[in-house]
CSV table of all heavy atoms in Angstrom, one decimal:
chain,number,residue,atom,x,y,z
A,73,MET,N,0.8,-1.2,0.0
A,73,MET,CA,0.0,0.0,0.0
A,73,MET,C,0.9,1.3,0.0
A,73,MET,O,1.8,1.3,0.7
A,73,MET,CB,-0.8,0.1,1.3
A,73,MET,CG,-1.9,-0.9,1.3
A,73,MET,SD,-2.8,-0.6,2.9
A,73,MET,CE,-4.6,-0.6,2.2
A,74,ASN,N,0.4,2.2,-0.8
A,74,ASN,CA,1.3,3.4,-0.8
A,74,ASN,C,0.8,4.4,0.3
A,74,ASN,O,-0.3,4.1,0.9
A,74,ASN,CB,1.3,4.0,-2.1
A,74,ASN,CG,-0.1,4.3,-2.7
A,74,ASN,OD1,-1.1,4.3,-2.0
A,74,ASN,ND2,-0.2,4.6,-3.9
A,75,THR,N,1.3,5.5,0.5
A,75,THR,CA,1.1,6.5,1.6
A,75,THR,C,-0.3,6.9,1.4
A,75,THR,O,-1.0,7.1,2.5
A,75,THR,CB,2.1,7.5,1.7
A,75,THR,OG1,3.4,6.9,1.7
A,75,THR,CG2,1.9,8.3,2.8
A,76,SER,N,-0.7,7.3,0.3
A,76,SER,CA,-1.9,8.0,0.2
A,76,SER,C,-3.1,7.0,0.4
A,76,SER,O,-4.2,7.3,0.8
A,76,SER,CB,-2.3,8.6,-1.3
A,76,SER,OG,-2.0,7.5,-2.3
A,77,ALA,N,-2.9,5.8,0.1
A,77,ALA,CA,-4.0,4.7,0.4
A,77,ALA,C,-4.1,4.6,1.9
A,77,ALA,O,-5.2,4.4,2.4
A,77,ALA,CB,-3.7,3.4,-0.2
A,78,ILE,N,-3.0,4.5,2.6
A,78,ILE,CA,-3.1,4.4,4.2
A,78,ILE,C,-3.8,5.6,4.8
A,78,ILE,O,-4.6,5.4,5.6
A,78,ILE,CB,-1.6,4.1,4.6
A,78,ILE,CG1,-1.1,2.7,4.1
A,78,ILE,CG2,-1.6,4.3,6.2
A,78,ILE,CD1,0.3,2.5,4.4
A,79,VAL,N,-3.4,6.8,4.2
A,79,VAL,CA,-3.8,8.0,4.8
A,79,VAL,C,-5.5,8.0,4.5
A,79,VAL,O,-6.2,8.3,5.5
A,79,VAL,CB,-3.3,9.3,4.2
A,79,VAL,CG1,-4.1,10.6,4.4
A,79,VAL,CG2,-1.9,9.4,4.5
A,80,MET,N,-6.0,7.7,3.3
A,80,MET,CA,-7.3,7.6,3.1
A,80,MET,C,-8.1,6.5,4.0
A,80,MET,O,-9.2,6.6,4.4
A,80,MET,CB,-7.6,7.3,1.7
A,80,MET,CG,-7.3,8.5,0.8
A,80,MET,SD,-8.3,10.0,1.2
A,80,MET,CE,-9.9,9.4,0.8
A,81,MET,N,-7.4,5.4,4.2
A,81,MET,CA,-7.8,4.4,5.1
A,81,MET,C,-8.1,4.7,6.4
A,81,MET,O,-9.1,4.6,7.1
A,81,MET,CB,-7.0,3.1,5.1
A,81,MET,CG,-7.6,1.9,5.8
A,81,MET,SD,-6.5,0.5,5.9
A,81,MET,CE,-5.1,1.0,6.6
A,82,VAL,N,-7.0,5.5,7.0
A,82,VAL,CA,-7.2,6.1,8.3
A,82,VAL,C,-8.3,7.0,8.6
A,82,VAL,O,-9.0,7.2,9.5
A,82,VAL,CB,-5.8,6.6,8.8
A,82,VAL,CG1,-5.9,7.4,10.0
A,82,VAL,CG2,-4.8,5.6,8.9
A,83,ILE,N,-8.4,8.0,7.4
A,83,ILE,CA,-9.4,8.9,7.4
A,83,ILE,C,-10.8,8.3,7.4
A,83,ILE,O,-11.8,8.7,8.2
A,83,ILE,CB,-9.2,10.0,6.3
A,83,ILE,CG1,-8.0,10.8,6.6
A,83,ILE,CG2,-10.5,10.8,6.1
A,83,ILE,CD1,-7.7,11.7,5.4
A,84,SER,N,-10.9,7.3,6.7
A,84,SER,CA,-12.2,6.7,6.6
A,84,SER,C,-12.6,5.9,7.9
A,84,SER,O,-13.8,6.0,8.3
A,84,SER,CB,-12.3,5.7,5.5
A,84,SER,OG,-11.9,6.2,4.2
A,85,ILE,N,-11.6,5.2,8.5
A,85,ILE,CA,-11.9,4.6,9.7
A,85,ILE,C,-12.3,5.6,10.7
A,85,ILE,O,-13.3,5.3,11.5
A,85,ILE,CB,-10.5,3.8,10.1
A,85,ILE,CG1,-10.5,2.5,9.2
A,85,ILE,CG2,-10.8,3.3,11.5
A,85,ILE,CD1,-9.2,1.8,9.4
A,86,LEU,N,-11.6,6.7,10.8
A,86,LEU,CA,-11.8,7.8,11.9
A,86,LEU,C,-13.3,8.3,11.6
A,86,LEU,O,-13.9,8.6,12.6
A,86,LEU,CB,-10.8,8.8,11.8
A,86,LEU,CG,-9.5,8.4,12.5
A,86,LEU,CD1,-8.4,9.5,12.2
A,86,LEU,CD2,-9.6,8.0,13.9
A,87,PHE,N,-13.6,8.5,10.4
A,87,PHE,CA,-14.9,9.0,10.0
A,87,PHE,C,-16.0,8.1,10.4
A,87,PHE,O,-17.0,8.4,11.0
A,87,PHE,CB,-15.0,9.3,8.5
A,87,PHE,CG,-16.3,9.9,8.0
A,87,PHE,CD1,-16.6,11.3,8.2
A,87,PHE,CD2,-17.1,9.1,7.3
A,87,PHE,CE1,-17.8,11.8,7.8
A,87,PHE,CE2,-18.4,9.6,6.8
A,87,PHE,CZ,-18.7,11.0,7.1
A,88,LEU,N,-15.9,6.9,10.1
A,88,LEU,CA,-16.9,5.8,10.5
A,88,LEU,C,-17.1,5.6,12.0
A,88,LEU,O,-18.2,5.7,12.5
A,88,LEU,CB,-16.6,4.6,9.8
A,88,LEU,CG,-16.8,4.5,8.3
A,88,LEU,CD1,-16.4,3.1,7.9
A,88,LEU,CD2,-18.3,4.7,8.1
A,89,TRP,N,-15.9,5.5,12.8
A,89,TRP,CA,-16.0,5.1,14.1
A,89,TRP,C,-16.5,6.5,14.9
A,89,TRP,O,-17.1,6.4,15.9
A,89,TRP,CB,-14.7,4.7,14.7
A,89,TRP,CG,-14.6,3.3,14.3
A,89,TRP,CD1,-13.7,2.8,13.4
A,89,TRP,CD2,-15.2,2.1,14.9
A,89,TRP,NE1,-13.8,1.3,13.3
A,89,TRP,CE2,-14.7,0.9,14.4
A,89,TRP,CE3,-16.1,2.0,15.9
A,89,TRP,CZ2,-15.1,-0.3,14.6
A,89,TRP,CZ3,-16.5,0.8,16.3
A,89,TRP,CH2,-16.1,-0.4,15.7
A,90,GLY,N,-15.9,7.6,14.3
A,90,GLY,CA,-16.3,8.9,14.9
A,90,GLY,C,-17.9,9.1,14.7
A,90,GLY,O,-18.5,9.6,15.7
A,91,GLY,N,-18.5,8.8,13.7
A,91,GLY,CA,-19.8,9.0,13.5
A,91,GLY,C,-20.7,8.0,14.4
A,91,GLY,O,-21.7,8.5,14.9
A,92,LEU,N,-20.2,6.7,14.6
A,92,LEU,CA,-20.9,5.9,15.5
A,92,LEU,C,-20.6,6.3,17.0
A,92,LEU,O,-21.7,6.4,17.7
A,92,LEU,CB,-20.0,4.5,15.4
A,92,LEU,CG,-20.7,3.4,16.4
A,92,LEU,CD1,-22.1,3.0,16.0
A,92,LEU,CD2,-19.8,2.2,16.3
A,93,ALA,N,-19.5,6.9,17.3
A,93,ALA,CA,-19.4,7.5,18.7
A,93,ALA,C,-20.3,8.6,19.0
A,93,ALA,O,-20.9,8.7,19.9
A,93,ALA,CB,-17.9,7.9,19.0
A,94,LEU,N,-20.4,9.6,18.0
A,94,LEU,CA,-21.3,10.8,18.0
A,94,LEU,C,-22.7,10.3,18.1
A,94,LEU,O,-23.5,11.0,18.8
A,94,LEU,CB,-21.0,11.6,16.9
A,94,LEU,CG,-19.8,12.5,16.9
A,94,LEU,CD1,-19.7,13.3,15.7
A,94,LEU,CD2,-19.8,13.4,18.2
A,95,SER,N,-23.1,9.4,17.3
A,95,SER,CA,-24.5,8.9,17.3
A,95,SER,C,-24.9,8.3,18.7
A,95,SER,O,-26.0,8.5,19.2
A,95,SER,CB,-24.8,8.0,16.2
A,95,SER,OG,-24.1,6.7,16.2
A,96,ILE,N,-23.9,7.5,19.3
A,96,ILE,CA,-24.1,6.9,20.5
A,96,ILE,C,-24.2,7.9,21.6
A,96,ILE,O,-25.2,7.9,22.5
A,96,ILE,CB,-23.1,5.8,20.9
A,96,ILE,CG1,-23.3,4.6,20.0
A,96,ILE,CG2,-23.2,5.5,22.4
A,96,ILE,CD1,-22.2,3.6,20.1
A,97,TRP,N,-23.3,9.0,21.5
A,97,TRP,CA,-23.4,10.1,22.5
A,97,TRP,C,-24.7,10.9,22.4
A,97,TRP,O,-25.3,11.2,23.4
A,97,TRP,CB,-22.2,10.9,22.4
A,97,TRP,CG,-22.1,12.0,23.2
A,97,TRP,CD1,-21.9,12.2,24.5
A,97,TRP,CD2,-22.5,13.4,22.8
A,97,TRP,NE1,-21.9,13.5,24.9
A,97,TRP,CE2,-22.3,14.3,23.9
A,97,TRP,CE3,-22.8,14.1,21.6
A,97,TRP,CZ2,-22.5,15.6,24.0
A,97,TRP,CZ3,-23.0,15.4,21.6
A,97,TRP,CH2,-22.8,16.1,22.7
A,98,HIS,N,-25.1,11.1,21.2
A,98,HIS,CA,-26.4,11.9,21.0
A,98,HIS,C,-27.6,11.2,21.5
A,98,HIS,O,-28.4,11.6,22.1
A,98,HIS,CB,-26.6,12.2,19.5
A,98,HIS,CG,-27.8,12.9,19.1
A,98,HIS,ND1,-28.0,14.3,19.6
A,98,HIS,CD2,-28.9,12.6,18.6
A,98,HIS,CE1,-29.2,14.5,19.2
A,98,HIS,NE2,-29.7,13.6,18.6
A,99,LEU,N,-27.7,9.8,21.3
A,99,LEU,CA,-28.9,9.1,21.8
A,99,LEU,C,-28.8,8.9,23.2
A,99,LEU,O,-29.8,8.9,23.8
A,99,LEU,CB,-28.7,7.6,21.0
A,99,LEU,CG,-29.9,6.6,21.2
A,99,LEU,CD1,-31.2,7.4,20.8
A,99,LEU,CD2,-29.7,5.4,20.6
A,100,SER,N,-27.6,8.8,23.8
A,100,SER,CA,-27.6,8.8,25.3
A,100,SER,C,-28.1,10.2,25.9
A,100,SER,O,-28.7,10.1,27.0
A,100,SER,CB,-26.2,8.5,25.8
A,100,SER,OG,-25.3,9.4,25.6
A,101,LYS,N,-27.8,11.3,25.1
A,101,LYS,CA,-28.3,12.5,25.7
A,101,LYS,C,-29.7,12.8,25.4
A,101,LYS,O,-30.4,13.6,26.2
A,101,LYS,CB,-27.4,13.7,25.2
A,101,LYS,CG,-26.0,13.7,25.5
A,101,LYS,CD,-25.8,14.0,27.1
A,101,LYS,CE,-24.3,13.9,27.3
A,101,LYS,NZ,-24.1,14.0,28.8
A,102,ASN,N,-30.3,12.3,24.3
A,102,ASN,CA,-31.7,12.6,23.8
A,102,ASN,C,-32.2,11.3,23.5
A,102,ASN,O,-32.3,10.8,22.3
A,102,ASN,CB,-31.6,13.3,22.7
A,102,ASN,CG,-30.8,14.8,22.8
A,102,ASN,OD1,-31.1,15.4,23.7
A,102,ASN,ND2,-29.9,14.9,21.8
A,103,PRO,N,-32.6,10.5,24.5
A,103,PRO,CA,-33.3,9.1,24.1
A,103,PRO,C,-34.6,9.2,23.5
A,103,PRO,O,-35.3,10.2,23.6
A,103,PRO,CB,-33.4,8.6,25.6
A,103,PRO,CG,-33.5,9.7,26.7
A,103,PRO,CD,-32.6,10.7,25.9
A,104,GLU,N,-34.8,8.3,22.6
A,104,GLU,CA,-36.1,8.3,21.9
A,104,GLU,C,-37.4,8.1,22.8
A,104,GLU,O,-37.3,7.3,23.8
A,104,GLU,CB,-36.2,7.3,20.8
A,104,GLU,CG,-35.0,7.3,19.8
A,104,GLU,CD,-35.2,6.4,18.7
A,104,GLU,OE1,-36.0,5.5,18.8
A,104,GLU,OE2,-34.2,6.4,17.7
A,105,GLN,N,-38.4,8.7,22.6
A,105,GLN,CA,-39.6,8.7,23.4
A,105,GLN,C,-40.5,7.7,22.8
A,105,GLN,O,-40.7,7.8,21.5
A,105,GLN,CB,-40.2,10.0,23.6
A,105,GLN,CG,-39.4,11.0,24.3
A,105,GLN,CD,-39.2,10.8,25.6
A,105,GLN,OE1,-39.9,10.2,26.3
A,105,GLN,NE2,-37.8,10.9,26.1
A,106,LEU,N,-41.1,6.8,23.5
A,106,LEU,CA,-42.1,5.9,23.0
A,106,LEU,C,-43.4,6.7,22.6
A,106,LEU,O,-43.9,7.5,23.4
A,106,LEU,CB,-42.5,4.8,23.9
A,106,LEU,CG,-41.2,3.7,24.0
A,106,LEU,CD1,-41.8,2.7,25.1
A,106,LEU,CD2,-41.0,3.1,22.7
A,107,ASP,N,-44.1,6.3,21.5
A,107,ASP,CA,-45.3,7.0,21.2
A,107,ASP,C,-46.4,6.5,22.2
A,107,ASP,O,-46.4,5.3,22.7
A,107,ASP,CB,-45.8,6.6,19.8
A,107,ASP,CG,-45.0,7.3,18.7
A,107,ASP,OD1,-44.3,8.3,19.0
A,107,ASP,OD2,-44.9,6.8,17.6
A,108,GLU,N,-47.5,7.2,22.3
A,108,GLU,CA,-48.6,6.8,23.2
A,108,GLU,C,-49.2,5.4,22.8
A,108,GLU,O,-49.5,4.6,23.5
A,108,GLU,CB,-49.7,7.9,23.3
A,108,GLU,CG,-49.2,9.0,23.9
A,108,GLU,CD,-50.3,10.1,24.1
A,108,GLU,OE1,-51.3,9.8,23.6
A,108,GLU,OE2,-50.0,11.4,24.5
A,109,VAL,N,-49.2,5.3,21.5
A,109,VAL,CA,-49.8,4.0,20.9
A,109,VAL,C,-49.0,2.8,21.3
A,109,VAL,O,-49.4,1.8,21.7
A,109,VAL,CB,-49.9,4.2,19.3
A,109,VAL,CG1,-50.5,2.8,18.8
A,109,VAL,CG2,-50.9,5.2,19.0
A,110,LEU,N,-47.6,2.9,21.3
A,110,LEU,CA,-46.8,1.8,21.5
A,110,LEU,C,-46.9,1.5,23.1
A,110,LEU,O,-46.8,0.4,23.6
A,110,LEU,CB,-45.4,2.1,21.2
A,110,LEU,CG,-45.0,2.3,19.8
A,110,LEU,CD1,-43.6,2.6,19.5
A,110,LEU,CD2,-45.3,0.9,19.2
A,111,GLU,N,-47.0,2.6,24.0
A,111,GLU,CA,-47.1,2.4,25.3
A,111,GLU,C,-48.5,1.6,25.7
A,111,GLU,O,-48.6,0.8,26.5
A,111,GLU,CB,-47.2,3.7,26.1
A,111,GLU,CG,-45.8,4.3,26.2
A,111,GLU,CD,-45.7,5.6,26.8
A,111,GLU,OE1,-46.7,6.0,27.5
A,111,GLU,OE2,-44.7,6.2,26.7
A,112,GLU,N,-49.6,1.9,24.9
A,112,GLU,CA,-50.8,1.2,25.2
A,112,GLU,C,-50.8,-0.2,24.7
A,112,GLU,O,-51.3,-1.1,25.4
A,112,GLU,CB,-51.9,2.1,24.4
A,112,GLU,CG,-52.4,3.2,24.9
A,112,GLU,CD,-53.4,4.1,23.9
A,112,GLU,OE1,-53.9,3.3,23.1
A,112,GLU,OE2,-53.6,5.3,24.2
A,113,VAL,N,-50.1,-0.5,23.6
A,113,VAL,CA,-50.0,-1.8,23.2
A,113,VAL,C,-49.1,-2.6,24.3
A,113,VAL,O,-49.4,-3.8,24.5
A,113,VAL,CB,-49.3,-1.8,21.9
A,113,VAL,CG1,-48.8,-3.3,21.5
A,113,VAL,CG2,-50.2,-1.3,20.7
A,114,LYS,N,-48.1,-2.0,24.8
A,114,LYS,CA,-47.3,-2.7,25.7
A,114,LYS,C,-48.1,-2.9,27.0
A,114,LYS,O,-48.0,-4.0,27.6
A,114,LYS,CB,-46.1,-1.7,26.1
A,114,LYS,CG,-45.0,-2.5,27.0
A,114,LYS,CD,-43.8,-1.6,27.1
A,114,LYS,CE,-43.7,-0.8,28.4
A,114,LYS,NZ,-42.5,-0.1,28.6
A,115,ASP,N,-49.1,-2.0,27.4
A,115,ASP,CA,-49.9,-2.3,28.6
A,115,ASP,C,-50.8,-3.4,28.3
A,115,ASP,O,-51.1,-4.1,29.2
A,115,ASP,CB,-50.6,-1.0,29.0
A,115,ASP,CG,-49.8,0.1,29.5
A,115,ASP,OD1,-48.6,-0.3,30.0
A,115,ASP,OD2,-50.1,1.3,29.4
A,116,GLN,N,-51.2,-3.4,27.1
A,116,GLN,CA,-52.3,-4.6,26.8
A,116,GLN,C,-51.6,-5.9,26.9
A,116,GLN,O,-52.3,-6.8,27.3
A,116,GLN,CB,-52.9,-4.3,25.4
A,116,GLN,CG,-53.8,-3.1,25.3
A,116,GLN,CD,-54.2,-2.8,24.0
A,116,GLN,OE1,-53.9,-3.6,23.1
A,116,GLN,NE2,-55.3,-1.8,23.8
A,117,HIS,N,-50.3,-6.0,26.4
A,117,HIS,CA,-49.7,-7.3,26.5
A,117,HIS,C,-49.3,-7.7,27.9
A,117,HIS,O,-49.0,-8.9,28.1
A,117,HIS,CB,-48.5,-7.2,25.6
A,117,HIS,CG,-48.8,-7.2,24.1
A,117,HIS,ND1,-49.3,-8.3,23.5
A,117,HIS,CD2,-48.8,-6.2,23.1
A,117,HIS,CE1,-49.6,-8.1,22.3
A,117,HIS,NE2,-49.3,-6.8,22.0
A,118,THR,N,-49.3,-6.7,28.8
A,118,THR,CA,-48.9,-7.2,30.2
A,118,THR,C,-50.1,-7.5,31.1
A,118,THR,O,-49.9,-8.1,32.2
A,118,THR,CB,-48.2,-6.0,30.8
A,118,THR,OG1,-49.1,-4.9,30.9
A,118,THR,CG2,-46.9,-5.7,30.2
A,119,LEU,N,-51.3,-7.5,30.4
A,119,LEU,CA,-52.5,-8.1,31.2
A,119,LEU,C,-52.6,-9.4,31.4
A,119,LEU,O,-52.2,-10.3,30.8
A,119,LEU,CB,-53.8,-7.5,30.5
A,119,LEU,CG,-53.9,-5.9,30.6
A,119,LEU,CD1,-55.1,-5.4,29.8
A,119,LEU,CD2,-53.9,-5.4,32.0
């Protein structure tokens, strides 16, 4: 592999893993809310 290929590989890896880390961080700070419909269905199944 030449130098430019290694540099592009490192940039791509950092981009992908950085995006994953940012999405996990964002989801931990802003968790998804369940819709009222989903909560009603969940309540019905626990009866």
Side-chain angles (χ1 to χ4, degrees):
M73 286 183 133
N74 56 14
T75 306
S76 63
I78 293 172
V79 169
M80 287 303 295
M81 182 180 68
V82 169
I83 290 172
S84 299
I85 290 171
L86 290 174
F87 181 76
L88 289 173
W89 284 104
L92 178 64
L94 283 175
S95 64
I96 291 171
W97 177 73
H98 177 72
L99 190 56
S100 69
K101 296 292 182 185
N102 306 305
E104 294 182 4
Q105 300 295 323
L106 290 177
D107 293 333
E108 292 177 9
V109 174
L110 291 176
E111 290 178 7
E112 290 175 9
V113 169
K114 189 169 101 175
D115 290 340
Q116 289 175 357
H117 287 289
T118 58
L119 294 177

